Amino acid sequence: MFAKIRNRLTMVYAAVMVCFLISFIIASYTGLVWVLYREEQLDVEAFAKEEAHEHINVLRQKQLSANQPFVEDDEQNDGKLFHYVFDMNNQQVSASEPAPEVRAAIIESIGSWKGADGEAILTKLHLPSDNKNYFMICSLKVYEGDRALGTVFVGKDITSYCIMLKRLLLVLSTVCLLFLVIATFAGHVLAGRAIIPIKNSFSRQREFVADASHELRTPLSVMLSSVDAIRTDDENKFSTFSEQVLDDMKSEIKRMTKIVADLLTLARADAGATNLFKEKFDINNVAEKVIRSFQPVAAEKGIKLEFVGTNNLFIQADRERINQLFLILIDNALKFIQHEGAVILTVKQVTGSKRTVNIIVQDNGQGIPEDQQQLIFERFYRIDKARSRDAGGTGLGLSIAKWIVEAHGGTIKVESSVGVGSTFIVSLPS
Ligand code: ADP
């Protein structure tokens, strides 16, 4: 149980950490990308304005005389920055060209340019070499007063920034993964520490239940024998009412004795203080004996109680506990059945991938709703509390049955439909 809580806590810690790390990475990465993008955009837009200003004269001359020579700009250019200047007839007037391998792609891109005037846009260029280059490109119309003289295209190669950002994302993701592993490990250790006080208080509570149940057993048996003594004392003359009160007291004391015994069993099981005394015995003998002991109860309720088994089915188990398991399952089947129903107990060997002995208790009683079929194995869980109480139920029977089965390395499950009946299937290693 504590291992489960610890794992669940670790998972919660890890999930919180993942959410936190992912949000942190997304926020910081997006912020960084935006800052760099905006920086480059402003830079290129300023560069476009500068070039437009510088080329006003050339474009004016070009308008006056069409034979104006082409101007190759001799500015220092490492291929990262470029500009093209076109007149109103789309004739190149001046240029400082980018690196030769991207030239064709850039000319193609500005040929079909659709960006807003003066706004730099990130443009991805697909090169024939299959490489991808990223340019921040801006086009700006050049005016003299209201008269348009031409257009300037400027651009900056920001591929290295983009590659750097991609690498950064990879590094951040790796760091995130690494932190996740560390956080999970740390979470596991912290969860272990966090449950120490819970463990302590649980074990104190367990000890309390065990001690209280143990201490209550003696006074309860004294009370029971005292009520019996009063009832059987010939010198006592009771009214009918007093006799009824004494009978009610007796049945309540019996009920309390059963709850106390069940609680003690579970408290000892929780503390691991219950030893199983395993021996080899014929499980059919035990089943037959239990069936015989329930026959009068079944007959009184008009229920047909049947046993189907094969001889000599030996099992290595705790005889007393297996007997208790039969008692719980048959008692429930008889308790939650209408008058004149039928209960069949089958004990058989199953040879599949593993050899098991299956105990099947089938009744045609009221059935169990599907959403409660798992809950009935929990302590004090009863579908109809009043009915279970009237029938002498405590809500602890199936918890004890589950513990007995699991302590023997087996499984227990229920198949049931409301109004049709229930089948409890226990599978024990043979
Ligand atoms: P109880 O002492 O009430 O029988 P159990 O733990 O044995 O406690 O059973 C828990 C609840 O499961 C019961 O109160 C009942 O509602 C339901 N239940 C158990 N066995 C059957 C059955 N054979 N048919 C219908 N309901 C059942």
Side-chain angles (χ1 to χ4, degrees), residues 258 328-329 331-336 363 365-368 376-378 380-384 388-389 392-399 416 422 424:
K258 184 165 184 318
I328 293 168
L329 295 179
D331 181 46
N332 274 351
L334 293 174
K335 248 180 352 198
F336 301 105
D363 66 61
Q366 64 191 53
I368 302 158
I376 55 169
F377 294 98
E378 284 176 13
F380 291 111
Y381 191 88
R382 286 165 289 176
I383 298 168
D384 181 346
S388 162
R389 196 175 192 284
T394 60
L396 292 172
L398 287 178
S399 320
S416 182
S422 312
F424 283 83

PDB file of all heavy atoms in Angstrom, residues 258 328-329 331-336 363 365-368 376-378 380-384 388-389 392-399 416 422 424, ligand 1:
ATOM      1  N   LYS A 258     -18.206 -10.822  16.514  1.00  0.00           N
ATOM      2  CA  LYS A 258     -17.770 -11.146  15.147  1.00  0.00           C
ATOM      3  C   LYS A 258     -16.978  -9.976  14.555  1.00  0.00           C
ATOM      4  O   LYS A 258     -15.906 -10.168  13.967  1.00  0.00           O
ATOM      5  CB  LYS A 258     -18.993 -11.462  14.275  1.00  0.00           C
ATOM      6  CG  LYS A 258     -18.604 -11.893  12.884  1.00  0.00           C
ATOM      7  CD  LYS A 258     -19.729 -12.546  12.139  1.00  0.00           C
ATOM      8  CE  LYS A 258     -19.309 -13.056  10.778  1.00  0.00           C
ATOM      9  NZ  LYS A 258     -18.459 -12.197  10.011  1.00  0.00           N
ATOM     10  N   ILE A 328     -17.120 -17.542   4.427  1.00  0.00           N
ATOM     11  CA  ILE A 328     -17.494 -16.168   4.037  1.00  0.00           C
ATOM     12  C   ILE A 328     -18.308 -16.194   2.743  1.00  0.00           C
ATOM     13  O   ILE A 328     -19.377 -15.576   2.642  1.00  0.00           O
ATOM     14  CB  ILE A 328     -16.220 -15.295   3.858  1.00  0.00           C
ATOM     15  CG1 ILE A 328     -15.521 -15.085   5.199  1.00  0.00           C
ATOM     16  CG2 ILE A 328     -16.568 -13.956   3.210  1.00  0.00           C
ATOM     17  CD1 ILE A 328     -14.121 -14.503   5.105  1.00  0.00           C
ATOM     18  N   LEU A 329     -17.797 -16.945   1.742  1.00  0.00           N
ATOM     19  CA  LEU A 329     -18.446 -16.913   0.421  1.00  0.00           C
ATOM     20  C   LEU A 329     -19.822 -17.578   0.448  1.00  0.00           C
ATOM     21  O   LEU A 329     -20.779 -17.062  -0.133  1.00  0.00           O
ATOM     22  CB  LEU A 329     -17.541 -17.572  -0.639  1.00  0.00           C
ATOM     23  CG  LEU A 329     -16.216 -16.841  -0.894  1.00  0.00           C
ATOM     24  CD1 LEU A 329     -15.388 -17.595  -1.928  1.00  0.00           C
ATOM     25  CD2 LEU A 329     -16.459 -15.415  -1.371  1.00  0.00           C
ATOM     26  N   ASP A 331     -21.708 -18.074   3.145  1.00  0.00           N
ATOM     27  CA  ASP A 331     -22.577 -17.276   4.016  1.00  0.00           C
ATOM     28  C   ASP A 331     -23.173 -16.103   3.234  1.00  0.00           C
ATOM     29  O   ASP A 331     -24.376 -15.835   3.290  1.00  0.00           O
ATOM     30  CB  ASP A 331     -21.746 -16.783   5.211  1.00  0.00           C
ATOM     31  CG  ASP A 331     -22.572 -15.961   6.172  1.00  0.00           C
ATOM     32  OD1 ASP A 331     -23.687 -16.400   6.495  1.00  0.00           O
ATOM     33  OD2 ASP A 331     -22.124 -14.876   6.583  1.00  0.00           O
ATOM     34  N   ASN A 332     -22.318 -15.402   2.448  1.00  0.00           N
ATOM     35  CA  ASN A 332     -22.808 -14.274   1.636  1.00  0.00           C
ATOM     36  C   ASN A 332     -23.836 -14.742   0.617  1.00  0.00           C
ATOM     37  O   ASN A 332     -24.876 -14.114   0.440  1.00  0.00           O
ATOM     38  CB  ASN A 332     -21.649 -13.616   0.888  1.00  0.00           C
ATOM     39  CG  ASN A 332     -20.949 -12.577   1.742  1.00  0.00           C
ATOM     40  OD1 ASN A 332     -21.434 -12.252   2.814  1.00  0.00           O
ATOM     41  ND2 ASN A 332     -19.831 -12.075   1.269  1.00  0.00           N
ATOM     42  N   ALA A 333     -23.519 -15.857  -0.060  1.00  0.00           N
ATOM     43  CA  ALA A 333     -24.431 -16.344  -1.105  1.00  0.00           C
ATOM     44  C   ALA A 333     -25.810 -16.640  -0.503  1.00  0.00           C
ATOM     45  O   ALA A 333     -26.829 -16.307  -1.102  1.00  0.00           O
ATOM     46  CB  ALA A 333     -23.852 -17.593  -1.755  1.00  0.00           C
ATOM     47  N   LEU A 334     -25.811 -17.214   0.692  1.00  0.00           N
ATOM     48  CA  LEU A 334     -27.096 -17.539   1.325  1.00  0.00           C
ATOM     49  C   LEU A 334     -27.795 -16.280   1.860  1.00  0.00           C
ATOM     50  O   LEU A 334     -29.019 -16.202   1.867  1.00  0.00           O
ATOM     51  CB  LEU A 334     -26.893 -18.528   2.480  1.00  0.00           C
ATOM     52  CG  LEU A 334     -26.417 -19.929   2.085  1.00  0.00           C
ATOM     53  CD1 LEU A 334     -26.111 -20.757   3.321  1.00  0.00           C
ATOM     54  CD2 LEU A 334     -27.483 -20.641   1.247  1.00  0.00           C
ATOM     55  N   LYS A 335     -26.968 -15.303   2.264  1.00  0.00           N
ATOM     56  CA  LYS A 335     -27.518 -14.083   2.860  1.00  0.00           C
ATOM     57  C   LYS A 335     -28.227 -13.225   1.814  1.00  0.00           C
ATOM     58  O   LYS A 335     -29.278 -12.667   2.058  1.00  0.00           O
ATOM     59  CB  LYS A 335     -26.362 -13.273   3.454  1.00  0.00           C
ATOM     60  CG  LYS A 335     -26.415 -13.230   4.938  1.00  0.00           C
ATOM     61  CD  LYS A 335     -25.321 -12.444   5.629  1.00  0.00           C
ATOM     62  CE  LYS A 335     -24.167 -11.901   4.908  1.00  0.00           C
ATOM     63  NZ  LYS A 335     -23.034 -11.553   5.747  1.00  0.00           N
ATOM     64  N   PHE A 336     -27.616 -13.132   0.624  1.00  0.00           N
ATOM     65  CA  PHE A 336     -28.132 -12.192  -0.375  1.00  0.00           C
ATOM     66  C   PHE A 336     -28.902 -12.907  -1.481  1.00  0.00           C
ATOM     67  O   PHE A 336     -28.711 -12.640  -2.654  1.00  0.00           O
ATOM     68  CB  PHE A 336     -26.983 -11.349  -0.941  1.00  0.00           C
ATOM     69  CG  PHE A 336     -26.269 -10.578   0.125  1.00  0.00           C
ATOM     70  CD1 PHE A 336     -25.012 -10.975   0.575  1.00  0.00           C
ATOM     71  CD2 PHE A 336     -26.873  -9.486   0.730  1.00  0.00           C
ATOM     72  CE1 PHE A 336     -24.368 -10.291   1.580  1.00  0.00           C
ATOM     73  CE2 PHE A 336     -26.236  -8.793   1.734  1.00  0.00           C
ATOM     74  CZ  PHE A 336     -24.989  -9.188   2.171  1.00  0.00           C
ATOM     75  N   ASP A 363     -24.524 -18.055  -7.126  1.00  0.00           N
ATOM     76  CA  ASP A 363     -25.887 -17.977  -6.578  1.00  0.00           C
ATOM     77  C   ASP A 363     -26.792 -17.273  -7.575  1.00  0.00           C
ATOM     78  O   ASP A 363     -26.313 -16.610  -8.496  1.00  0.00           O
ATOM     79  CB  ASP A 363     -25.884 -17.234  -5.228  1.00  0.00           C
ATOM     80  CG  ASP A 363     -25.507 -15.776  -5.360  1.00  0.00           C
ATOM     81  OD1 ASP A 363     -26.210 -15.036  -6.050  1.00  0.00           O
ATOM     82  OD2 ASP A 363     -24.473 -15.368  -4.761  1.00  0.00           O
ATOM     83  N   GLY A 365     -28.956 -14.967  -6.656  1.00  0.00           N
ATOM     84  CA  GLY A 365     -29.511 -13.956  -5.748  1.00  0.00           C
ATOM     85  C   GLY A 365     -29.701 -12.603  -6.401  1.00  0.00           C
ATOM     86  O   GLY A 365     -29.831 -12.497  -7.622  1.00  0.00           O
ATOM     87  N   GLN A 366     -29.635 -11.561  -5.560  1.00  0.00           N
ATOM     88  CA  GLN A 366     -29.976 -10.218  -6.037  1.00  0.00           C
ATOM     89  C   GLN A 366     -28.946  -9.612  -6.981  1.00  0.00           C
ATOM     90  O   GLN A 366     -29.256  -8.710  -7.747  1.00  0.00           O
ATOM     91  CB  GLN A 366     -30.177  -9.284  -4.832  1.00  0.00           C
ATOM     92  CG  GLN A 366     -28.903  -9.092  -4.019  1.00  0.00           C
ATOM     93  CD  GLN A 366     -29.165  -8.392  -2.700  1.00  0.00           C
ATOM     94  OE1 GLN A 366     -30.012  -8.812  -1.926  1.00  0.00           O
ATOM     95  NE2 GLN A 366     -28.449  -7.329  -2.452  1.00  0.00           N
ATOM     96  N   GLY A 367     -27.725 -10.128  -6.975  1.00  0.00           N
ATOM     97  CA  GLY A 367     -26.677  -9.608  -7.864  1.00  0.00           C
ATOM     98  C   GLY A 367     -26.060  -8.326  -7.327  1.00  0.00           C
ATOM     99  O   GLY A 367     -26.549  -7.728  -6.368  1.00  0.00           O
ATOM    100  N   ILE A 368     -24.952  -7.929  -7.978  1.00  0.00           N
ATOM    101  CA  ILE A 368     -24.202  -6.744  -7.525  1.00  0.00           C
ATOM    102  C   ILE A 368     -24.049  -5.794  -8.713  1.00  0.00           C
ATOM    103  O   ILE A 368     -23.577  -6.220  -9.778  1.00  0.00           O
ATOM    104  CB  ILE A 368     -22.792  -7.165  -7.017  1.00  0.00           C
ATOM    105  CG1 ILE A 368     -22.947  -8.179  -5.873  1.00  0.00           C
ATOM    106  CG2 ILE A 368     -21.974  -5.973  -6.570  1.00  0.00           C
ATOM    107  CD1 ILE A 368     -21.732  -9.029  -5.652  1.00  0.00           C
ATOM    108  N   ILE A 376     -16.912  -3.867  -3.193  1.00  0.00           N
ATOM    109  CA  ILE A 376     -17.363  -4.781  -2.125  1.00  0.00           C
ATOM    110  C   ILE A 376     -16.190  -5.470  -1.418  1.00  0.00           C
ATOM    111  O   ILE A 376     -16.358  -6.011  -0.335  1.00  0.00           O
ATOM    112  CB  ILE A 376     -18.353  -5.851  -2.652  1.00  0.00           C
ATOM    113  CG1 ILE A 376     -17.743  -6.608  -3.818  1.00  0.00           C
ATOM    114  CG2 ILE A 376     -19.679  -5.231  -3.020  1.00  0.00           C
ATOM    115  CD1 ILE A 376     -18.549  -7.839  -4.203  1.00  0.00           C
ATOM    116  N   PHE A 377     -14.990  -5.409  -2.023  1.00  0.00           N
ATOM    117  CA  PHE A 377     -13.831  -6.028  -1.372  1.00  0.00           C
ATOM    118  C   PHE A 377     -13.168  -5.062  -0.386  1.00  0.00           C
ATOM    119  O   PHE A 377     -12.203  -5.402   0.273  1.00  0.00           O
ATOM    120  CB  PHE A 377     -12.808  -6.494  -2.417  1.00  0.00           C
ATOM    121  CG  PHE A 377     -13.332  -7.619  -3.271  1.00  0.00           C
ATOM    122  CD1 PHE A 377     -13.859  -7.376  -4.528  1.00  0.00           C
ATOM    123  CD2 PHE A 377     -13.336  -8.916  -2.799  1.00  0.00           C
ATOM    124  CE1 PHE A 377     -14.359  -8.406  -5.305  1.00  0.00           C
ATOM    125  CE2 PHE A 377     -13.831  -9.957  -3.568  1.00  0.00           C
ATOM    126  CZ  PHE A 377     -14.353  -9.696  -4.820  1.00  0.00           C
ATOM    127  N   GLU A 378     -13.698  -3.825  -0.329  1.00  0.00           N
ATOM    128  CA  GLU A 378     -13.136  -2.857   0.620  1.00  0.00           C
ATOM    129  C   GLU A 378     -13.783  -3.011   1.995  1.00  0.00           C
ATOM    130  O   GLU A 378     -14.935  -3.435   2.088  1.00  0.00           O
ATOM    131  CB  GLU A 378     -13.357  -1.430   0.106  1.00  0.00           C
ATOM    132  CG  GLU A 378     -12.399  -1.117  -1.011  1.00  0.00           C
ATOM    133  CD  GLU A 378     -12.626   0.243  -1.623  1.00  0.00           C
ATOM    134  OE1 GLU A 378     -13.361   1.056  -1.034  1.00  0.00           O
ATOM    135  OE2 GLU A 378     -12.067   0.463  -2.706  1.00  0.00           O
ATOM    136  N   PHE A 380     -15.706  -2.609   5.297  1.00  0.00           N
ATOM    137  CA  PHE A 380     -16.978  -2.013   5.716  1.00  0.00           C
ATOM    138  C   PHE A 380     -17.850  -1.558   4.548  1.00  0.00           C
ATOM    139  O   PHE A 380     -18.784  -0.801   4.750  1.00  0.00           O
ATOM    140  CB  PHE A 380     -16.762  -0.827   6.687  1.00  0.00           C
ATOM    141  CG  PHE A 380     -16.244  -1.256   8.027  1.00  0.00           C
ATOM    142  CD1 PHE A 380     -14.954  -0.951   8.443  1.00  0.00           C
ATOM    143  CD2 PHE A 380     -17.049  -1.999   8.879  1.00  0.00           C
ATOM    144  CE1 PHE A 380     -14.473  -1.370   9.675  1.00  0.00           C
ATOM    145  CE2 PHE A 380     -16.579  -2.406  10.118  1.00  0.00           C
ATOM    146  CZ  PHE A 380     -15.292  -2.099  10.515  1.00  0.00           C
ATOM    147  N   TYR A 381     -17.527  -1.983   3.321  1.00  0.00           N
ATOM    148  CA  TYR A 381     -18.378  -1.585   2.198  1.00  0.00           C
ATOM    149  C   TYR A 381     -19.542  -2.561   2.078  1.00  0.00           C
ATOM    150  O   TYR A 381     -19.354  -3.770   1.964  1.00  0.00           O
ATOM    151  CB  TYR A 381     -17.582  -1.547   0.877  1.00  0.00           C
ATOM    152  CG  TYR A 381     -18.400  -0.880  -0.204  1.00  0.00           C
ATOM    153  CD1 TYR A 381     -18.364   0.493  -0.384  1.00  0.00           C
ATOM    154  CD2 TYR A 381     -19.277  -1.625  -1.003  1.00  0.00           C
ATOM    155  CE1 TYR A 381     -19.155   1.121  -1.325  1.00  0.00           C
ATOM    156  CE2 TYR A 381     -20.071  -1.002  -1.946  1.00  0.00           C
ATOM    157  CZ  TYR A 381     -20.002   0.372  -2.107  1.00  0.00           C
ATOM    158  OH  TYR A 381     -20.794   0.978  -3.035  1.00  0.00           O
ATOM    159  N   ARG A 382     -20.738  -2.033   2.118  1.00  0.00           N
ATOM    160  CA  ARG A 382     -21.937  -2.852   1.949  1.00  0.00           C
ATOM    161  C   ARG A 382     -22.866  -2.138   0.984  1.00  0.00           C
ATOM    162  O   ARG A 382     -23.020  -0.912   1.079  1.00  0.00           O
ATOM    163  CB  ARG A 382     -22.639  -3.063   3.291  1.00  0.00           C
ATOM    164  CG  ARG A 382     -21.898  -4.039   4.174  1.00  0.00           C
ATOM    165  CD  ARG A 382     -22.352  -3.987   5.596  1.00  0.00           C
ATOM    166  NE  ARG A 382     -21.926  -2.763   6.251  1.00  0.00           N
ATOM    167  CZ  ARG A 382     -22.269  -2.450   7.490  1.00  0.00           C
ATOM    168  NH1 ARG A 382     -23.019  -3.238   8.200  1.00  0.00           N
ATOM    169  NH2 ARG A 382     -21.854  -1.329   8.031  1.00  0.00           N
ATOM    170  N   ILE A 383     -23.447  -2.897   0.052  1.00  0.00           N
ATOM    171  CA  ILE A 383     -24.300  -2.239  -0.946  1.00  0.00           C
ATOM    172  C   ILE A 383     -25.563  -1.725  -0.264  1.00  0.00           C
ATOM    173  O   ILE A 383     -25.916  -0.565  -0.392  1.00  0.00           O
ATOM    174  CB  ILE A 383     -24.645  -3.214  -2.091  1.00  0.00           C
ATOM    175  CG1 ILE A 383     -23.348  -3.631  -2.786  1.00  0.00           C
ATOM    176  CG2 ILE A 383     -25.600  -2.573  -3.087  1.00  0.00           C
ATOM    177  CD1 ILE A 383     -23.500  -4.779  -3.732  1.00  0.00           C
ATOM    178  N   ASP A 384     -26.198  -2.602   0.490  1.00  0.00           N
ATOM    179  CA  ASP A 384     -27.395  -2.184   1.210  1.00  0.00           C
ATOM    180  C   ASP A 384     -27.103  -2.396   2.697  1.00  0.00           C
ATOM    181  O   ASP A 384     -27.218  -3.512   3.210  1.00  0.00           O
ATOM    182  CB  ASP A 384     -28.575  -3.055   0.727  1.00  0.00           C
ATOM    183  CG  ASP A 384     -29.875  -2.669   1.409  1.00  0.00           C
ATOM    184  OD1 ASP A 384     -29.810  -1.938   2.409  1.00  0.00           O
ATOM    185  OD2 ASP A 384     -30.938  -3.113   0.939  1.00  0.00           O
ATOM    186  N   SER A 388     -27.704  -5.782   4.950  1.00  0.00           N
ATOM    187  CA  SER A 388     -26.540  -6.548   5.387  1.00  0.00           C
ATOM    188  C   SER A 388     -26.521  -6.662   6.911  1.00  0.00           C
ATOM    189  O   SER A 388     -26.211  -7.704   7.474  1.00  0.00           O
ATOM    190  CB  SER A 388     -25.271  -5.878   4.867  1.00  0.00           C
ATOM    191  OG  SER A 388     -24.181  -6.317   5.580  1.00  0.00           O
ATOM    192  N   ARG A 389     -26.880  -5.533   7.580  1.00  0.00           N
ATOM    193  CA  ARG A 389     -26.857  -5.525   9.040  1.00  0.00           C
ATOM    194  C   ARG A 389     -27.900  -6.495   9.585  1.00  0.00           C
ATOM    195  O   ARG A 389     -27.624  -7.280  10.488  1.00  0.00           O
ATOM    196  CB  ARG A 389     -27.128  -4.093   9.535  1.00  0.00           C
ATOM    197  CG  ARG A 389     -26.752  -3.888  10.962  1.00  0.00           C
ATOM    198  CD  ARG A 389     -26.908  -2.439  11.369  1.00  0.00           C
ATOM    199  NE  ARG A 389     -26.284  -2.212  12.657  1.00  0.00           N
ATOM    200  CZ  ARG A 389     -26.810  -2.584  13.806  1.00  0.00           C
ATOM    201  NH1 ARG A 389     -27.955  -3.207  13.821  1.00  0.00           N
ATOM    202  NH2 ARG A 389     -26.166  -2.356  14.952  1.00  0.00           N
ATOM    203  N   GLY A 392     -26.879  -9.886   9.609  1.00  0.00           N
ATOM    204  CA  GLY A 392     -25.731 -10.171  10.480  1.00  0.00           C
ATOM    205  C   GLY A 392     -24.400  -9.859   9.825  1.00  0.00           C
ATOM    206  O   GLY A 392     -23.351 -10.307  10.273  1.00  0.00           O
ATOM    207  N   GLY A 393     -24.421  -9.049   8.754  1.00  0.00           N
ATOM    208  CA  GLY A 393     -23.174  -8.721   8.041  1.00  0.00           C
ATOM    209  C   GLY A 393     -22.425  -7.589   8.710  1.00  0.00           C
ATOM    210  O   GLY A 393     -23.011  -6.745   9.383  1.00  0.00           O
ATOM    211  N   THR A 394     -21.108  -7.573   8.515  1.00  0.00           N
ATOM    212  CA  THR A 394     -20.275  -6.519   9.095  1.00  0.00           C
ATOM    213  C   THR A 394     -19.587  -5.693   8.009  1.00  0.00           C
ATOM    214  O   THR A 394     -19.042  -4.636   8.283  1.00  0.00           O
ATOM    215  CB  THR A 394     -19.175  -7.139   9.977  1.00  0.00           C
ATOM    216  OG1 THR A 394     -18.388  -7.993   9.136  1.00  0.00           O
ATOM    217  CG2 THR A 394     -19.749  -7.912  11.125  1.00  0.00           C
ATOM    218  N   GLY A 395     -19.572  -6.207   6.794  1.00  0.00           N
ATOM    219  CA  GLY A 395     -18.886  -5.500   5.707  1.00  0.00           C
ATOM    220  C   GLY A 395     -17.396  -5.817   5.692  1.00  0.00           C
ATOM    221  O   GLY A 395     -16.631  -5.206   4.953  1.00  0.00           O
ATOM    222  N   LEU A 396     -16.991  -6.784   6.512  1.00  0.00           N
ATOM    223  CA  LEU A 396     -15.555  -7.124   6.564  1.00  0.00           C
ATOM    224  C   LEU A 396     -15.262  -8.484   5.922  1.00  0.00           C
ATOM    225  O   LEU A 396     -14.107  -8.820   5.680  1.00  0.00           O
ATOM    226  CB  LEU A 396     -15.081  -7.144   8.025  1.00  0.00           C
ATOM    227  CG  LEU A 396     -15.053  -5.786   8.715  1.00  0.00           C
ATOM    228  CD1 LEU A 396     -14.771  -5.941  10.204  1.00  0.00           C
ATOM    229  CD2 LEU A 396     -14.005  -4.882   8.087  1.00  0.00           C
ATOM    230  N   GLY A 397     -16.321  -9.248   5.637  1.00  0.00           N
ATOM    231  CA  GLY A 397     -16.131 -10.620   5.149  1.00  0.00           C
ATOM    232  C   GLY A 397     -15.288 -10.708   3.887  1.00  0.00           C
ATOM    233  O   GLY A 397     -14.271 -11.425   3.853  1.00  0.00           O
ATOM    234  N   LEU A 398     -15.662  -9.934   2.856  1.00  0.00           N
ATOM    235  CA  LEU A 398     -14.925 -10.041   1.589  1.00  0.00           C
ATOM    236  C   LEU A 398     -13.506  -9.460   1.686  1.00  0.00           C
ATOM    237  O   LEU A 398     -12.617  -9.907   0.962  1.00  0.00           O
ATOM    238  CB  LEU A 398     -15.710  -9.373   0.457  1.00  0.00           C
ATOM    239  CG  LEU A 398     -16.953 -10.147  -0.006  1.00  0.00           C
ATOM    240  CD1 LEU A 398     -17.690  -9.391  -1.087  1.00  0.00           C
ATOM    241  CD2 LEU A 398     -16.574 -11.538  -0.523  1.00  0.00           C
ATOM    242  N   SER A 399     -13.298  -8.471   2.592  1.00  0.00           N
ATOM    243  CA  SER A 399     -11.921  -7.957   2.777  1.00  0.00           C
ATOM    244  C   SER A 399     -11.052  -9.077   3.322  1.00  0.00           C
ATOM    245  O   SER A 399      -9.895  -9.259   2.906  1.00  0.00           O
ATOM    246  CB  SER A 399     -11.866  -6.808   3.783  1.00  0.00           C
ATOM    247  OG  SER A 399     -12.943  -5.969   3.630  1.00  0.00           O
ATOM    248  N   SER A 416     -21.179 -10.643 -11.926  1.00  0.00           N
ATOM    249  CA  SER A 416     -22.538 -10.542 -11.396  1.00  0.00           C
ATOM    250  C   SER A 416     -23.435  -9.665 -12.262  1.00  0.00           C
ATOM    251  O   SER A 416     -22.954  -8.747 -12.923  1.00  0.00           O
ATOM    252  CB  SER A 416     -22.449  -9.944  -9.989  1.00  0.00           C
ATOM    253  OG  SER A 416     -23.713  -9.869  -9.416  1.00  0.00           O
ATOM    254  N   SER A 422     -24.810 -13.841  -8.678  1.00  0.00           N
ATOM    255  CA  SER A 422     -23.377 -13.525  -8.615  1.00  0.00           C
ATOM    256  C   SER A 422     -22.562 -14.809  -8.610  1.00  0.00           C
ATOM    257  O   SER A 422     -23.007 -15.840  -8.090  1.00  0.00           O
ATOM    258  CB  SER A 422     -23.050 -12.766  -7.322  1.00  0.00           C
ATOM    259  OG  SER A 422     -23.959 -11.729  -7.123  1.00  0.00           O
ATOM    260  N   PHE A 424     -18.641 -15.823  -7.514  1.00  0.00           N
ATOM    261  CA  PHE A 424     -17.320 -15.462  -6.982  1.00  0.00           C
ATOM    262  C   PHE A 424     -16.338 -16.546  -7.425  1.00  0.00           C
ATOM    263  O   PHE A 424     -16.591 -17.741  -7.222  1.00  0.00           O
ATOM    264  CB  PHE A 424     -17.362 -15.354  -5.457  1.00  0.00           C
ATOM    265  CG  PHE A 424     -18.002 -14.079  -4.989  1.00  0.00           C
ATOM    266  CD1 PHE A 424     -19.378 -13.966  -4.895  1.00  0.00           C
ATOM    267  CD2 PHE A 424     -17.228 -12.967  -4.685  1.00  0.00           C
ATOM    268  CE1 PHE A 424     -19.976 -12.778  -4.486  1.00  0.00           C
ATOM    269  CE2 PHE A 424     -17.819 -11.765  -4.277  1.00  0.00           C
ATOM    270  CZ  PHE A 424     -19.187 -11.680  -4.182  1.00  0.00           C
TER     271      PHE A 424
HETATM  272  P1  ADP B   1     -21.116  -8.501   4.761  1.00  0.00           P
HETATM  273  O1  ADP B   1     -20.713  -8.816   6.122  1.00  0.00           O
HETATM  274  O2  ADP B   1     -22.017  -7.318   4.653  1.00  0.00           O
HETATM  275  O3  ADP B   1     -21.579  -9.682   3.998  1.00  0.00           O
HETATM  276  P2  ADP B   1     -18.933  -8.625   2.915  1.00  0.00           P
HETATM  277  O4  ADP B   1     -17.627  -7.910   2.913  1.00  0.00           O
HETATM  278  O5  ADP B   1     -18.892 -10.086   2.980  1.00  0.00           O
HETATM  279  O6  ADP B   1     -19.761  -7.988   4.086  1.00  0.00           O
HETATM  280  O7  ADP B   1     -19.736  -8.182   1.637  1.00  0.00           O
HETATM  281  C1  ADP B   1     -19.795  -6.832   1.284  1.00  0.00           C
HETATM  282  C2  ADP B   1     -21.063  -6.538   0.507  1.00  0.00           C
HETATM  283  O8  ADP B   1     -21.015  -7.187  -0.761  1.00  0.00           O
HETATM  284  C3  ADP B   1     -22.318  -7.093   1.139  1.00  0.00           C
HETATM  285  O9  ADP B   1     -22.840  -6.208   2.095  1.00  0.00           O
HETATM  286  C4  ADP B   1     -23.245  -7.218  -0.044  1.00  0.00           C
HETATM  287  O10 ADP B   1     -23.839  -5.977  -0.310  1.00  0.00           O
HETATM  288  C5  ADP B   1     -22.300  -7.568  -1.190  1.00  0.00           C
HETATM  289  N1  ADP B   1     -22.281  -9.021  -1.469  1.00  0.00           N
HETATM  290  C6  ADP B   1     -21.366  -9.914  -1.062  1.00  0.00           C
HETATM  291  N2  ADP B   1     -21.652 -11.132  -1.537  1.00  0.00           N
HETATM  292  C7  ADP B   1     -22.784 -11.019  -2.258  1.00  0.00           C
HETATM  293  C8  ADP B   1     -23.604 -11.922  -3.018  1.00  0.00           C
HETATM  294  N3  ADP B   1     -23.291 -13.220  -3.114  1.00  0.00           N
HETATM  295  N4  ADP B   1     -24.675 -11.424  -3.643  1.00  0.00           N
HETATM  296  C9  ADP B   1     -24.986 -10.124  -3.559  1.00  0.00           C
HETATM  297  N5  ADP B   1     -24.266  -9.204  -2.860  1.00  0.00           N
HETATM  298  C10 ADP B   1     -23.186  -9.650  -2.224  1.00  0.00           C
END
